[in-house]
Amino acid sequence: MTDAGQPTPQHPPEVAVSTRRRLSLLWLLPLVAALIAGWLGWRWLEDRGPQIVITFQSGDGLEAGRTRIKHKNVDLGVIESVRLSDDLSQVIATARMDRAAGRHLKEGTRFWVVAPRLSLAGVSGLSTVVSGTYVEMEPGGGEDRREFDALDDPPVIRADVPGRSFSLKAEQLGSLAQGSPVYFRGVQVGEVMGYNLSPQDRTVSVSVFVRAPYEGLVREGSRFWRSSGIQFTAGAEGLKFQTESLKTLALGGVVLETPPDPQAGEQAKDWSTFTLYEDQQSAAAARDRLRVRYRLEFPGSVQGLQAGAPVLMRGLTVGHVAAVRMEYDEANQQIHIPVDIDLEPDLVARTYGILDDKPMDEATLRKLVAIQVKKGMRGRLASGNLLTGQKLVSFDFEPGPHQPVPGTERSELPTVESSDIESITRSAGVLMDKVSALPLDGLIADLRGTLQSVSGLAGSPDLARSLAALAKALGSADALMRDADRQLPELVKSLRGVATAAQGTLNSANGLLGGGGGQADLAGVMRQLNDAARSFRVLADYLERHPEALLRGKSP
């Protein structure tokens, strides 16, 4: 209370008020939303993957936002945009890949368009008729990469297929194409992946792939040759026709052959280079084995003889023709056509044991050939194929001493005239020239004159002289017929004319003699002349029907 007795006034308590401003919980909602959006965006960017650029030669089937990029039918990305290059020669597609595909975008990664394709190798991409065209991705190795060039065609062999690749060198591509099969003993073991032309030596390089587990069949001594698909063979059983599969007929093929150990050598390394031969015979002739070369010269023409033709000994192959060329001898001013042959001792089996397990060497083979030459071994050209006219070299044994044929003095082995049809024709031509040189016209004229003299002078004293001349003429004609051993059309024609004239003349002579009834001896002579003329006619008719009788004699 106060001094005046008044009560003391009451003051309200002081309240401590904080001046710091508090954050409202309502503001936390936008912050949380921003954080969630940022996290989702970061996850989207992380899952989105890298962006790549693929260059195509054509834009067929490519649509921005719709064309997918797949691997084993699983989506890995999508084409975002498609545009032309600045020079309008290519199509550039920008694609967004998934995060899982980012680590597989390497230098060896390949892309190509999968669409329905119809070719000789078959039909592919039929599933895209329903699902639509897409881009296939095949992962590869190497450094990271973001720009790629798409393949024009799908690869024949995928990168994940085990096996080995090899390179074949050939002069011509022939019927081979991408996807052509590779066979080993009739079993397909691989395919042709592709080919290219070498600008250096202008040869064709064919890439082949042999799948596992067959890649071990390719050794250093292996041989490759083309498979034509169709084979004709002619033997004692007749003609044989053999074909491969329809795929080989359409695309061609390659045949792989590996000799037995130890001739096969070591296993071939990846991308080893081999020669692609035209056929099996060429591949067999190219084997690394001993060859002993001889120089031969044949009389006459060597038309039809080519390098690679077989060399036969009594019908069995003992070598091959290495070269056929023409040489000019300036000293003697003569042209020679030497034929080089290679004799292969591996083709000749010996009946006695080989010393120290060593094969026949060159010195042994030359000694063997020299012994056989002393026994009468001679070489000649023979027809290898009557249809194509190809020839070969054949050795056989001829009885009697060897008489060198002119023009073959420089031959290392003795040769003789060929026995084929061409040589027979040539010999017949020489004989015809000799026959043409004979006084055949004078002989026929004498015969006709003699017969006319007999007809007009049947009762004259000159009859004896005419008959003697006639006998001489007939004897000459008979000798000429005995010497003719080839088909002589001109001679047959002349004999027919002689027989016709003689028959007419003798008929006249018979009529004349019939009026003289007292000349019995002369009538008998004329009958003999009539029989001789008839014999000439019969002979001419027979030779006209059977000209081969001049070569083989009269058939039974």
Side-chain angles (χ1 to χ4, degrees):
M1 297 182 67
T2 63
D3 295 339
Q6 294 291 331
T8 302
Q10 298 291 328
H11 295 281
E14 296 180 359
V15 178
V17 178
S18 174
T19 59
R20 186 174 63 182
R21 301 178 61 182
R22 294 181 179 181
L23 183 64
S24 175
L25 294 177
L26 295 178
W27 289 102
L28 293 178
L29 296 178
L31 180 61
V32 171
L35 291 176
I36 293 175
W39 179 78
L40 292 176
W42 176 78
R43 288 295 305 271
W44 177 76
L45 290 176
E46 185 179 19
D47 294 338
R48 190 181 184 188
Q51 187 181 60
I52 62 173
V53 176
I54 307 175
T55 302
F56 297 88
Q57 296 298 323
S58 174
D60 292 341
L62 300 181
E63 297 184 28
R66 296 187 60 182
T67 303
R68 310 296 300 180
I69 298 178
K70 300 181 180 182
H71 175 66
K72 295 184 177 181
N73 209 26
V74 176
D75 290 346
L76 294 179
V78 63
I79 300 293
E80 293 184 334
S81 65
V82 179
R83 65 180 180 87
L84 289 173
S85 61
D86 295 337
D87 58 357
L88 305 180
S89 62
Q90 295 174 325
V91 176
I92 300 177
T94 302
R96 179 67 63 179
M97 304 299 295
D98 293 343
R99 177 185 177 186
R103 62 179 181 271
H104 299 291
L105 299 174
K106 306 292 182 178
E107 293 180 351
T109 303
R110 301 186 293 183
F111 296 88
W112 65 89
V113 176
V114 179
R117 298 177 185 271
L118 176 63
S119 64
L120 294 176
V123 181
S124 62
L126 290 179
S127 61
T128 59
V129 175
V130 178
S131 63
T133 303
Y134 64 91
V135 177
E136 181 73 14
M137 168 185 165
E138 183 183 72
E143 300 294 331
D144 292 340
R145 190 173 180 179
R146 294 296 182 264
E147 295 183 358
F148 304 89
D149 293 328
L151 301 178
D152 297 335
D153 298 308
V156 178
I157 303 297
R158 303 291 293 265
D160 54 352
V161 177
R164 290 186 179 181
S165 301
F166 305 95
S167 178
L168 307 180
K169 293 291 185 180
E171 294 294 332
Q172 298 287 338
L173 179 62
S175 60
L176 295 180
Q178 190 179 45
S180 296
V182 178
Y183 292 105
F184 180 83
R185 297 183 179 179
V187 178
Q188 183 175 351
V189 297
E191 294 84 19
V192 174
M193 295 189 298
Y195 53 86
N196 59 75
L197 183 64
S198 174
Q200 289 79 15
D201 54 3
R202 298 182 179 179
T203 59
V204 179
S205 178
V206 181
S207 301
V208 298
F209 181 83
V210 180
R211 300 190 302 269
Y214 306 116
E215 75 275 14
L217 297 174
V218 184
R219 302 295 186 93
E220 294 178 351
S222 297
R223 294 289 185 270
F224 293 85
W225 67 82
R226 303 178 189 271
S227 175
S228 61
I230 301 178
Q231 297 179 356
F232 285 97
T233 58
E237 300 84 4
L239 292 176
K240 291 184 178 180
F241 176 77
Q242 183 178 0
T243 62
E244 299 285 351
S245 62
L246 294 178
K247 185 176 182 179
T248 305
L249 293 177
L251 299 178
V254 177
V255 178
L256 164 65
E257 182 188 60
T258 300
D261 295 332
Q263 303 177 10
E266 299 294 333
Q267 188 171 349
K269 298 180 179 179
D270 200 15
W271 288 110
S272 298
T273 302
F274 296 88
T275 301
L276 179 61
Y277 297 97
E278 292 297 325
D279 48 37
Q280 185 176 5
Q281 290 75 15
S282 301
R287 292 189 181 278
D288 297 329
R289 52 191 178 193
L290 177 62
R291 296 178 177 86
V292 180
R293 179 157 297 185
Y294 285 91
R295 173 192 173 109
L296 303 181
E297 287 191 1
F298 296 94
S301 174
V302 295
Q303 182 179 1
L305 184 65
Q306 300 178 355
V311 177
L312 307 182
M313 168 64 74
R314 290 188 170 180
L316 297 181
T317 302
V318 295
H320 294 84
V321 175
V324 180
R325 62 184 184 276
M326 180 178 292
E327 294 181 352
Y328 177 67
D329 187 357
E330 296 183 358
N332 300 324
Q333 296 184 352
Q334 293 181 350
I335 295 178
H336 298 273
I337 305 180
V339 178
D340 294 335
I341 64 171
D342 289 335
L343 299 182
E344 302 176 16
D346 292 344
L347 300 177
V348 181
R350 292 186 288 178
T351 57
Y352 55 86
I354 302 177
L355 298 178
D356 300 330
D357 293 333
K358 294 182 179 179
M360 186 185 301
D361 55 8
E362 181 176 355
T364 305
L365 179 63
R366 290 189 178 275
K367 181 178 179 181
L368 182 150
V369 172
I371 295 175
Q372 301 307 312
V373 169
K374 292 181 179 179
K375 293 182 178 181
M377 187 180 75
R378 306 290 183 262
R380 70 171 73 233
L381 292 179
S383 296
N385 192 312
L386 295 177
L387 297 178
T388 62
Q390 295 180 350
K391 292 185 178 180
L392 51 83
V393 178
S394 177
F395 283 95
D396 210 329
F397 292 87
E398 301 287 341
H402 172 62
Q403 298 295 335
V405 180
T408 63
E409 295 82 3
R410 298 195 298 179
S411 181
E412 295 182 1
L413 296 178
T415 58
V416 295
E417 284 278 0
S418 177
S419 59
D420 56 5
I421 297 179
E422 181 181 351
S423 299
I424 295 176
T425 304
R426 185 169 58 252
S427 300
V430 174
L431 179 61
M432 288 298 297
D433 294 338
K434 294 181 179 179
V435 171
S436 299
L438 293 176
L440 186 59
D441 295 337
L443 177 62
I444 296 175
D446 291 342
L447 178 60
R448 290 178 177 176
T450 303
L451 293 177
Q452 291 175 0
S453 299
V454 171
S455 178
L457 301 174
S460 67
D462 296 332
L463 180 59
R465 291 192 300 271
S466 298
L467 292 177
L470 177 60
K472 182 179 179 180
L474 293 177
S476 300
D478 183 65
L480 177 62
M481 292 303 300
R482 286 197 305 266
D483 293 338
D485 57 353
R486 297 293 187 270
Q487 183 179 355
L488 303 176
E490 294 83 355
L491 180 59
V492 173
K493 184 178 180 181
S494 300
L495 289 175
R496 177 175 291 277
V498 171
T500 303
Q503 183 67 44
T505 303
L506 290 175
N507 291 335
S508 301
N510 287 334
L512 180 62
L513 290 174
Q519 301 179 4
D521 294 338
L522 181 59
V525 172
M526 296 309 297
R527 281 195 301 271
Q528 294 179 2
L529 291 177
N530 194 10
D531 293 339
R534 187 180 299 107
S535 299
F536 270 107
R537 180 181 296 276
V538 172
L539 176 61
D541 292 339
Y542 182 79
L543 291 179
E544 185 176 7
R545 294 192 307 269
H546 304 282
E548 70 277 5
L550 291 173
L551 298 174
R552 303 178 179 176
K554 185 176 181 181
S555 59

